[in-house]
Amino acid sequence: HLLLFLLFVGPFNCFASYSRATELFYSLNEGLPAGVLIGSLARDLRLPAAGGQHSASLQPPLSFTLASHGLGGQYVQLDNRSGELHTSAVEIDREALCVESSGATILGGSAAVSSSSPSPESCLLLLDVLVLPQEYFRLVKVKIAIRDVNDNAPRFPVPHIRLLVPENAPVNTRLAIEHPALDPDMGTNGVQTYRLRDNYGVFTLDVEENENGERTPYLIVMGALDRETQDEYVTVILAEDGGTPPLVGSATLTIGISDINDNCPQFNDSQLNVTLYGNSSLGTHVATVHAVDMDLGSNAQITYSYSQKVPQPSRDLFHLNESTGAITLSTKVDGDTPRLHRLIILGNGPGCIPAVITVLVTIIKVMMRPPEVVPRFIANEVEGVVYLKELEPINTPVAFFTIKDPDEKYKVSCYLDGDGPFRLSPYKPYNNEYLLETTKPLDFETQQLYEISVVAWNSEGFHVKKVVKIQILDDNDNSPVFSEQLIELSIEENNVPNAFLTKLHATDADSGERGQVSYFLGPDAPSYFALDKTTGVLTVSTQLDREEKEKYRYTVKAVDSGFPPRESIATVTITVLDKNDNSPRFINKDFSFFVPENFPGFGEIGVISVTDADAGQNGWVALSVLNGSDIFVIDTGKGVLRAKVSLDREQQSSYVLWIEAVDGGDPALSSTAKITILLLDINDNPPLVLFPQSNMSYLLVLPSTLPGSPITEVYAVDKDTGMNAVIAYSIIGRRGPRPESFRIDPKTGNITLEESLMQNDYGLYRLLVKVSDHGYPEPLHSTVMVNLFVNDTVSNESYIESLLRKEPDISVEEKQPQISIEPTHKKMESASCMPTLVALSIISLGSIALVTGMGIYICLRKGNKHHRADENLEVQIPLNGRINLHMLEKKPVEISNI
């Protein structure tokens, strides 16, 4: 039965286990570094944590495993024990993983990257995670949404965009810009707005968004256009996204104004009067009419024709060239020919009302044949027009003219009529030959066309005129000329890339291709400056940093298209204007100053050096003390740190200050530095005697005390440090029955018994101890009185106290205490010989004084025999001088009995 039960329940158990599939959803920004926590699977699945309510021995540990390490798994790291999901070292780039609006999926086993759900803008990283052991087994579907950040600037697909607008475009005409900017970012981080850097007052931009969310910029005409006034506008179009801060991309936008036929032909004059001699030969040039149309190309083509009002005889007599407007004599003038002809000529343009000019031709009847002027051109001549290059030298021959009288009856002379650098002179040795030549250099830019006449007249006063048109051909003899030789510009630092600087302009007086100017950067220009060859727009492709370089100076060239080409050079100077983008900078982050204590108030402790790379007000730095301002002040201008009061090392040995430097920018930038002030000790504290506590205390010394035994000690401390606190002890005054019986250790202050005490050594001993430090330059000291009472017992304590209250007469021994670790034997011998040498000197110099002194001493002993008991307690010795104990002690001590 049990077997049947297991067979029946087993399949349902499996089904239940595999059906426990869970879905978790997380989101994070793209571009995060490795180790950023995405989520905890154990916590979010509410699985029991290790070390929780159940003992580890009762449940196996949880295990989390990626079902397959595919392409998506390389972006995450899964902790197998804790179930925490972190970013890996492979950075997530949303634009590389998720193709915009494509719904594409990059598969990798059980992991994938998808942008198809849950929304059109989502980019999901899909992972399958297995949770073990069997008790908690489940398949977890983890979806990680990759949020977009604004890490891409808008970018136009082409750097130069050209747009044509008809000159008759009405206001509010909209033209789509076919190359909108692209931004891989999504949503508000994508392209949001467009604007023009210079709209010239006649253009603006609008943005239209289609159903797919694509934004297209439209150029809107806001004013009247006239190609004949300005045929081109060059500006910069800027695309800006909606990120924080927004990023900007740019391209050069050239708006060309296309021509329409809005101008008609016009004659400069309404009537032209011409005289023609009746004996003129066929083909004689009568006149030329010329009309002007301001349009271009086919819109400016002009044809000439006679009005219907011109009678047919006049049409037959005078031929009109419909292309050039030249009128020539087409038939012979005879006696029946009318003497006045009114020729109405029309200048016809496409779609225009014809322009009208009237040519009045008066025919003069001639009874004799006029002189003949026969030209023979040396220079190139086409249809009566002579062509000369402007660089031709002086005295260049133009033509020969033969002057003659057909009837050979009259003398004929000739002269040159008209303005210009030409002369007509007889050509020797011939009588009727004349040479026309130049007298000055020709300049196309000054005058392009000359019209002169060779006039011949005979002795009867009859004149004949031969008109010669001389067209000057342009040569590349002019270099381009910049409007400014020194172009001074300025731009704020931290500019946007491809920022517009200026538009260069150079003119060339030559015509045609020879006058077309191209622009180039000089060899000294940095690589991050760009100059448009055609438009002359100067841009900078990178951000400029004033602190790195404030001034740029380089050359630009304007080159024409002649052969050989000619060029001119201008100098560009760019000043990078400062922005407050640099915080004040201390030369050190930590300053340390060593100052002797008791340093006078407002004395200079040290100088805090700080700099700011910005200029002007942005570089002005003000210093202030953030903490301890009640003690320390700082000079803002010089950075000098001072203390308001004198500093005592014993109260505080060091100070830590924080100094803030704030510049003058708006908004202001600041930085801080740590200042450590260490006070150096000076010897301003004498040793302080802690034991004995009073000059009135005393100690009982038993006579049975062995030599070398410690009796008591003098203990003192010094608040100073170093050598200023090294203390030495010495006995500078003694009084008692045998005061040399006691010795003090100069280092420890321990007082020991040097010799065995005898019966005669009973009594009160008073030792004046000097406690001195090793300070520099002058050691300081204190004194204390050590009282020792040698006796078996203290039977009369009040009597001892009365002796202590008396002012003792003690001679002071001015000996410096010597501190040495191991005193040598020789020094001890030298010290012990000093009293003997002094005694011998005294005996040899005054033996009489010695005998007298001994007599006095005996007398005194006999006279005071009844005080013998007192003398055992207090023995007087001869004094070399008296000492004031109150003067020796630097500090008062408390009086107490031991």
Side-chain angles (χ1 to χ4, degrees), residues 412-487:
V412 180
S413 299
C414 71
Y415 66 92
L416 188 64
D417 184 24
D419 297 328
F422 305 97
R423 67 167 171 249
L424 184 66
S425 57
Y427 189 71
K428 303 295 183 180
Y430 306 102
N431 293 327
N432 59 343
E433 297 289 342
Y434 293 84
L435 176 64
L436 179 64
E437 58 185 354
T438 61
T439 60
K440 294 180 180 179
L442 304 176
D443 187 5
F444 173 85
E445 289 71 36
T446 302
Q447 187 169 346
Q448 295 86 35
L449 180 65
Y450 294 92
E451 187 170 323
I452 58 177
S453 300
V454 177
V455 181
W457 82 96
N458 58 19
S459 55
E460 296 298 321
F462 196 83
H463 292 74
V464 174
K465 181 184 294 185
K466 179 65 176 178
V467 178
V468 179
K469 291 185 177 180
I470 300 176
Q471 177 69 52
I472 309 302
L473 299 178
D474 188 27
D475 217 330
N476 194 30
D477 60 338
N478 289 279
S479 299
V481 178
F482 281 99
S483 56
E484 295 176 298
Q485 286 299 311
L486 179 60
I487 304 165

Side-chain angles (χ1 to χ4, degrees), residues 17-96:
S17 297
Y18 281 100
S19 67
R20 284 187 293 174
T22 308
E23 186 175 275
L24 293 177
F25 183 78
Y26 300 106
S27 63
L28 76 159
N29 291 341
E30 62 173 324
L32 293 177
V36 176
L37 177 64
I38 300 174
S40 175
L41 302 185
R43 181 190 62 206
D44 297 337
L45 293 173
R46 295 192 175 94
L47 296 176
Q53 297 178 355
H54 300 285
S55 173
S57 62
L58 300 179
Q59 67 173 16
L62 291 174
S63 174
F64 300 86
T65 308
L66 287 175
S68 176
H69 293 279
L71 181 60
Q74 66 179 324
Y75 299 105
V76 297
Q77 286 183 340
L78 177 62
D79 191 302
N80 293 337
R81 292 299 181 188
S82 67
E84 289 187 348
L85 199 63
H86 296 82
T87 56
S88 69
V90 181
E91 183 178 297
I92 299 176
D93 185 1
R94 186 186 186 282
E95 289 73 34

Side-chain angles (χ1 to χ4, degrees), residues 851-872:
V851 173
T852 304
M854 290 296 293
I856 295 173
Y857 174 75
I858 294 171
C859 292
L860 289 175
R861 285 179 63 86
K862 289 181 179 180
N864 296 293
K865 188 174 182 180
H866 59 280
H867 295 298
R868 182 63 182 267
D870 295 343
E871 290 295 330
N872 290 333

Side-chain angles (χ1 to χ4, degrees), residues 745-807:
D745 188 295
K747 292 196 297 183
T748 64
N750 290 332
I751 298 176
T752 58
L753 181 64
E754 289 292 296
E755 300 175 359
S756 299
L757 297 173
M758 302 301 179
Q759 184 69 26
N760 295 332
D761 297 334
Y762 283 37
L764 180 65
Y765 291 78
R766 309 197 75 174
L767 306 178
L768 182 61
V769 178
K770 178 181 181 181
V771 184
S772 176
D773 60 25
H774 282 61
Y776 179 85
E778 183 69 28
L780 302 179
H781 68 273
S782 300
T783 60
V784 66
M785 186 69 75
V786 178
N787 302 302
L788 302 176
F789 182 60
V790 179
N791 202 2
D792 293 325
T793 61
V794 179
S795 59
N796 191 350
E797 186 174 341
S798 60
Y799 174 71
I800 298 174
E801 291 177 356
S802 66
L803 294 177
L804 293 175
R805 282 193 292 270
K806 293 181 180 180
E807 185 75 19

Side-chain angles (χ1 to χ4, degrees), residues 16 20 47 93 186 189 209 213 264 301 385 404 456 548 593 626 666 674 715 718 793 887 898:
R20 284 187 293 174
L47 296 176
D93 185 1
M186 295 292 294
N189 291 333
E209 184 175 352
C264 290
Q301 290 182 355
V385 179
K404 60 181 179 180
E548 181 179 339
F593 297 108
L626 296 180
D666 185 17
K674 179 182 178 183
Y715 180 70
D718 196 314
T793 61
M887 294 298 293
I898 299 176

Side-chain angles (χ1 to χ4, degrees), residues 295 333 527 620 705:
D295 293 326
V333 178
S527 60
W620 295 349
T705 304

Side-chain angles (χ1 to χ4, degrees), residues 500-549:
F500 174 84
L501 293 175
T502 189
K503 182 178 180 182
L504 304 180
H505 181 66
T507 57
D508 194 316
D510 293 324
S511 63
E513 292 184 352
R514 291 172 291 272
Q516 293 180 359
V517 180
S518 300
Y519 302 91
F520 301 94
L521 290 172
D524 54 345
S527 60
Y528 38 83
F529 289 95
L531 180 59
D532 189 279
K533 175 182 177 181
T534 305
T535 63
V537 172
L538 181 63
T539 58
V540 56
S541 62
T542 186
Q543 283 190 347
L544 300 180
D545 186 359
R546 188 204 67 83
E547 289 72 37
E548 181 179 339
K549 190 171 184 180

